[in-house]
Amino acid sequence: MQKIIAALALSGAAAYVAPVAPKATSSLAASKDEVIALAEANPDFLGKAIGFWDPLGALDSNFWGLGNEGTIGYLRHAEIKHGRVAMAAFLGYMAGATELVSGPHKILPYRGFEPGLTPPEQWDAIPLYGKLQILVIVGMLESYGEGAGFPESYTHYTKGGLPGFYPSIKGKGAGQITFDLYKPFPIFPEQSEAQKERGRRVEVNNGRAAMLGLMSLLSASAVPGSVPALSGIEGFPQYSGNVMIPFEGDFTLF
């Protein structure tokens, strides 16, 4: 099990690439023709076999009066963001399934910790105030990602900014944030424009794979045998709760 986890974890490492400073040009939000060209130029299997695929006609939409190009920028940014969250969640699920995280531990990571829990059960065991703290931190990061505190230097992705760009947050929060979200330490070499372009494609592809992978893990844990590729793994963590109700054990509105 641990060998499988290590192999899956290492396969997604190439997805984390440095963001590029945005430029205030409408081409970054991209027209439909540019998105089609981008999809068809994707060197992976899906890019070569399917190319551009938009069965719902999303690229012809106009969300909230943003206009067509603004909507495309929104959709591209949403895919990149969800891919990043899925990559982190996928690796987190892998780590949470190991004894390194699930315990037992001599020093409990939080009050009420129980050893041997599956990743979804570990979330259930976190006290409500701990969960709320996590949500507050995520909300802060989300607000900075939307340009809060950058009234002049930030160009929003629906107005010509680069989809997926996350501004520097070092020094924010009244000076309490001392590191950037990405590249907190200057240990990575600078990249050429060609390397950055390739990195962005890799990130999108790995994010798509991670979204599918994460849903397969959650499905297999909730409905045994629903994912044939995972059903043969002995001791695969099962979950009797509902992953779509994250506060099920804390409170209910119904």
Side-chain angles (χ1 to χ4, degrees), residues 112-135:
F113 174 83
E114 300 178 28
L117 298 180
T118 64
E121 291 172 342
Q122 293 167 20
W123 166 262
D124 291 340
I126 297 176
L128 175 60
Y129 288 132
K131 295 175 182 176
L132 294 179
Q133 289 177 17
I134 294 174
L135 292 181

Side-chain angles (χ1 to χ4, degrees), residues 9-159:
L10 291 174
S11 66
Y16 297 92
V17 296
V20 181
K23 301 178 182 178
T25 59
S26 60
S27 62
L28 290 177
S31 66
K32 181 177 179 179
D33 292 338
E34 290 170 323
V35 174
I36 293 175
L38 181 66
E40 293 177 346
N42 197 324
D44 70 351
F45 172 76
L46 292 179
K48 295 179 180 179
I50 299 177
F52 176 72
W53 191 64
D54 182 21
L56 300 179
L59 295 188
D60 295 318
S61 304
N62 180 7
F63 292 176
W64 308 294
L66 294 173
N68 184 244
E69 288 196 1
T71 299
I72 291 174
Y74 169 83
L75 292 173
R76 293 184 64 195
H77 185 84
E79 180 184 29
I80 294 171
K81 180 188 294 184
H82 282 80
R84 289 169 178 170
V85 172
M87 286 186 283
F90 184 86
L91 295 178
Y93 197 104
M94 295 292 100
T98 66
E99 293 183 358
L100 181 65
V101 176
S102 64
H105 300 293
K106 293 183 179 179
I107 301 177
L108 299 183
Y110 54 84
R111 184 180 302 175
F113 174 83
E114 300 178 28
L117 298 180
T118 64
E121 291 172 342
Q122 293 167 20
W123 166 262
D124 291 340
I126 297 176
L128 175 60
Y129 288 132
K131 295 175 182 176
L132 294 179
Q133 289 177 17
I134 294 174
L135 292 181
V136 169
I137 293 175
V138 171
M140 292 174 59
L141 295 175
E142 177 72 7
S143 66
Y144 285 132
E146 290 294 318
F150 305 92
E152 298 179 356
S153 60
Y154 177 79
T155 303
H156 200 266
Y157 48 85
T158 62
K159 299 179 180 179

Side-chain angles (χ1 to χ4, degrees), residues 204-223:
V204 170
N205 291 338
N206 285 355
R208 291 169 178 172
M211 286 187 276
L212 293 174
L214 177 61
M215 293 308 299
S216 70
L217 294 177
L218 297 178
S219 298
S221 66
V223 184

Side-chain angles (χ1 to χ4, degrees), residues 8 12 15 21 27 71 91-92 98 104 145-146 151 161 166 178 189 221 240 243 253-254:
L8 291 173
S27 62
T71 299
L91 295 178
T98 66
E146 290 294 318
Y166 194 91
T178 57
S221 66
S240 59
V243 295
L253 300 177
F254 306 99

Side-chain angles (χ1 to χ4, degrees), residues 140 143-144 148-150 168-179:
M140 292 174 59
S143 66
Y144 285 132
F150 305 92
S168 172
I169 59 174
K170 185 176 181 179
K172 297 296 181 181
Q176 298 185 55
I177 301 178
T178 57
F179 302 104

